Amino acid sequence: SAVISQKPSRDICQRGTSLTIQCQVDSQVTMMFWYRQQPGQSLTLIATANQGSEATYESGFVIDKFPISRPNLTFSTLTVSNMSPEDSSIYLCSVGSGRGETQYFGPGTRLLVL
Amino acid sequence: EDQVTQSPEALRLQEGESSSLNCSYTVSGLRGLFWYRQDPGKGPEFLFTLYSAGEEKEKERLKATLTKKESFLHITAPKPEDSATYLCAVQAVGATNKLIFGTGTLLAVQP
């Protein structure tokens, strides 16, 4: 399976600021995804990062709040904009294998918003 | 609405004491069911994919089974290093690869 890294691994931010999270994969992949894991809750898909086109967002998530870039087949970024304490969470990127059914996850970025 | 429910929320076992974790699901059409292991401070680690009722997969002390409504993760003679949160997820047909996760079972194996 692909080796996935994320930067930063953790951060503490002030409300109203923005943070950009990077996801790097060691091989080219067609499908990349961004998930959120809030304390005590299940992982929730934010969006699918599409190479060469706009990301596809799930219900309840909007581009203005979570802009995503996918400049090539090995890299993606997720920005958490105008943060509030409710954005404190673990943010995870994943990549799909083959037809995309099985997804492999990065180590996550732990965000605390004060 | 597609949904995944895992039970129990937490399970404490003695080393060597076998048990099972449950994952009940409701999905319009099942494309795949997935088991992951998550250690504290890390991302989920892929364990198994099951595609159809009756399918079974094994890896060391773990065996995953699938019926039309639920999946079980059987842990045989667990060791302390099996302690982790076990996550179940489903993918629906036509859902463009979206995984729907349960909230997980926190397993603690005591020596």
Side-chain angles (χ1 to χ4, degrees):
Chain A
S1 62
V3 176
I4 307 166
S5 60
Q6 287 186 233
K7 290 182 180 179
S9 59
R10 60 179 65 240
D11 208 340
I12 301 174
C13 301
Q14 297 298 317
R15 69 171 66 212
T17 63
S18 297
L19 176 72
T20 295
I21 302 167
Q22 299 179 4
C23 179
Q24 179 75 54
V25 190
D26 69 344
S27 59
Q28 293 187 340
V29 293
T30 304
M31 290 173 245
M32 293 182 76
F33 309 90
W34 287 98
Y35 286 81
R36 181 173 72 181
Q37 187 175 29
Q38 294 182 302
Q41 298 188 27
S42 58
L43 277 82
T44 302
L45 180 64
I46 297 171
T48 302
N50 302 308
Q51 198 268 329
S53 64
E54 273 196 8
T56 304
Y57 290 84
E58 296 297 311
S59 176
F61 298 97
V62 295
I63 188 171
D64 290 345
K65 177 67 175 177
F66 298 102
I68 288 171
S69 78
R70 179 89 192 270
N72 56 52
L73 293 175
T74 64
F75 186 78
S76 179
T77 66
L78 169 75
T79 298
V80 186
S81 302
N82 188 25
M83 289 184 285
S84 66
E86 291 71 36
D87 294 319
S88 297
S89 186
I90 301 172
Y91 292 87
L92 296 143
C93 70
S94 72
V95 301
S97 69
R99 289 179 295 168
E101 298 115 348
T102 298
Q103 293 179 23
Y104 298 92
F105 285 82
T109 295
R110 282 141 193 84
L111 172 62
L112 176 64
V113 184
L114 302 178
Chain B
E1 181 183 349
D2 300 334
Q3 194 171 332
V4 176
T5 303
Q6 291 188 247
S7 62
E9 290 185 7
L11 180 63
R12 182 168 296 190
L13 300 174
Q14 292 295 124
E15 185 172 1
E17 179 187 2
S18 301
S19 188
S20 296
L21 313 183
N22 177 263
C23 171
S24 297
Y25 64 91
T26 304
V27 66
S28 50
L30 183 68
R31 187 181 183 194
L33 184 140
F34 307 83
W35 283 99
Y36 289 86
R37 167 191 172 131
Q38 187 172 26
D39 293 297
K42 295 189 176 182
E45 174 190 346
F46 171 72
L47 294 174
F48 303 110
T49 305
L50 301 168
Y51 293 103
S52 57
E55 189 174 0
E56 299 183 351
K57 288 194 176 171
E58 286 189 69
K59 179 181 179 180
E60 296 180 356
R61 296 177 292 281
L62 301 177
K63 183 168 88 171
T65 62
L66 180 65
T67 72
K68 288 186 178 180
K69 293 187 176 181
E70 59 191 349
S71 176
F72 291 93
L73 185 65
H74 306 278
I75 304 176
T76 302
K79 298 182 178 182
E81 53 262 42
D82 295 321
S83 299
T85 296
Y86 290 85
L87 301 171
C88 173
V90 297
Q91 196 174 69
V93 172
T96 61
N97 304 301
K98 175 182 179 179
L99 290 178
I100 300 168
F101 280 86
T103 51
T105 293
L106 175 60
L107 174 65
V109 182
Q110 296 181 313

